[in-house]
Amino acid sequence: MALLIVKKLRDLCANPANRSHIVNNDSTTISGLVVFLRNEDEEVVFTALEAINFLARNAEHRQALAKVTGLVDQVQSLMFSSFSTRVKRMSISTYTLLQDAVSSDEKKGAEAKQKGKGAAAAETPKPIKKPAATHTVYVQGLTTEPKRKEVESILLRKKGVISFLIDLFSQKITIRSTLTVHELVKHINQSCSMLASTKEFQEVEDKENVSHDYLDEEVEKASKQEGKEGWFGWGSQQQKSTSIMVNDSSVQQSGWFGRISKSLWG
């Protein structure tokens, strides 16, 4: 019974005048052919393959046939079935005719998918990467190992810091980062007890300046004092000298007077 029906369908498909109507308007006939492809009777399967092959010979029909659910997959599976060689050859011939339409559909689907990705990528702007730069930050009091560890811990946890080098002697940090130097200074000031700056601290120099000013002041005072002491000293020395001279004269006078007195009065 199945063989009789499928032969009638094959005869309809063999007539070129009927093919366009069957493909475009008679979906029941094509669905029936797909069912017959799953039949266990080799003759039924071969006849169904032959009918589909007739329909696929028209290039304008292949796209519609390729979209019929299960048709292409079933034809492809018959290429590796246990049926005879003639069934395999017919399935290969039919699949070859439909393959262009299948490839075209897959290509269009892939292109549509790629366009969708491209549109999504265009809508979602990529984040702009900031260029990395090297900055020098001075940290007041960064002279001990505990302070170094404190600053190191702060910078290791900060996003945007690529690398850094701590110099305890100069109390400075050389930082490679995508952050600005002012952002780094702000972060260090907010995260630790030490004071960070973009400029080198002048504590030592200021102390030296203060010391020098003090010495200059002292020297000036000393000079003034020396001047005063010089005038008064000169007078004092003169007075001392005079006093000494007076004393010497007195001694001398006392000596002469004593001698004269002794001569006159014994």
Side-chain angles (χ1 to χ4, degrees):
M1 186 68 177
L3 182 59
L4 182 61
I5 296 172
V6 77
K7 281 183 176 181
K8 287 183 178 181
L9 293 175
R10 189 263 321 268
D11 293 341
L12 287 171
C13 295
N15 187 350
N18 298 329
R19 293 172 187 171
S20 181
H21 175 77
I22 293 171
V23 172
N24 297 320
N25 302 312
D26 194 358
S27 59
T28 305
T29 299
I30 299 175
S31 298
L33 290 173
V34 174
V35 172
F36 287 129
L37 290 176
R38 298 189 181 98
N39 199 284
E40 294 180 357
D41 188 342
E42 182 176 322
E43 192 64 29
V44 173
V45 172
F46 179 80
T47 305
L49 276 171
E50 198 175 15
I52 295 170
N53 190 278
F54 282 133
L55 296 174
R57 289 178 185 181
N58 294 66
E60 62 271 17
H61 298 156
R62 293 169 188 168
Q63 197 76 34
L65 289 170
K67 292 179 180 179
V68 175
T69 305
L71 188 147
V72 176
D73 292 338
Q74 192 60 37
V75 171
Q76 187 178 18
S77 66
L78 290 171
M79 294 165 55
F80 308 99
S81 67
S82 58
F83 290 125
S84 63
T85 305
R86 69 173 188 153
V87 173
K88 292 180 180 179
R89 285 178 180 175
M90 183 56 69
S91 62
I92 291 171
S93 173
T94 305
Y95 183 79
T96 302
L97 292 172
L98 296 172
Q99 190 175 20
D100 291 338
V102 173
S103 301
S104 177
D105 285 344
E106 290 177 350
K107 186 178 180 181
K108 286 180 181 179
E111 287 177 353
K113 190 175 181 181
Q114 190 65 28
K115 285 181 181 178
K117 286 183 178 179
E123 290 174 3
T124 308
K126 292 182 180 180
I128 300 172
K129 292 183 178 180
K130 292 182 180 179
T134 303
H135 307 292
T136 300
V137 177
Y138 296 90
V139 182
Q140 189 178 31
L142 182 60
T143 56
T144 63
E145 190 63 21
K147 295 293 185 183
R148 184 190 68 79
K149 289 182 178 179
E150 182 183 354
V151 173
E152 188 179 75
S153 176
I154 291 168
L155 293 176
L156 286 173
R157 294 195 302 268
K158 182 62 176 174
K159 186 178 180 180
V161 175
I162 300 170
S163 62
F164 57 87
L165 179 65
I166 298 175
D167 185 353
L168 297 181
F169 180 77
S170 301
Q171 300 183 59
K172 70 177 182 180
I173 314 168
T174 304
I175 307 172
R176 182 74 175 169
S177 174
T178 56
L179 303 173
T180 65
V181 67
H182 297 292
E183 288 174 330
L184 291 168
V185 169
K186 183 179 178 181
H187 177 66
I188 294 171
N189 285 331
Q190 291 177 345
S191 305
C192 74
S193 57
M194 293 173 284
L195 179 63
S197 175
T198 56
K199 296 181 180 180
E200 188 174 2
F201 291 99
Q202 301 294 327
E203 281 190 1
V204 176
E205 188 177 339
D206 290 343
K207 286 180 181 178
E208 291 177 355
N209 290 338
V210 170
S211 177
H212 293 162
D213 292 342
Y214 171 78
L215 289 176
D216 292 342
E217 238 177 86
E218 291 297 319
V219 169
E220 189 178 349
K221 287 180 181 179
S223 298
K224 289 179 181 179
Q225 190 64 30
E226 283 177 3
K228 290 177 182 179
E229 287 178 0
W231 286 101
F232 286 102
W234 179 82
S236 302
Q237 287 173 3
Q238 287 295 104
Q239 289 174 358
K240 287 177 183 177
S241 298
T242 305
S243 177
I244 290 169
M245 289 175 65
V246 169
N247 290 337
D248 288 343
S249 298
S250 300
V251 170
Q252 289 177 5
Q253 287 175 3
S254 297
W256 286 107
F257 181 76
R259 289 177 185 176
I260 294 169
S261 297
K262 285 181 180 179
S263 299
L264 294 175
W265 292 286

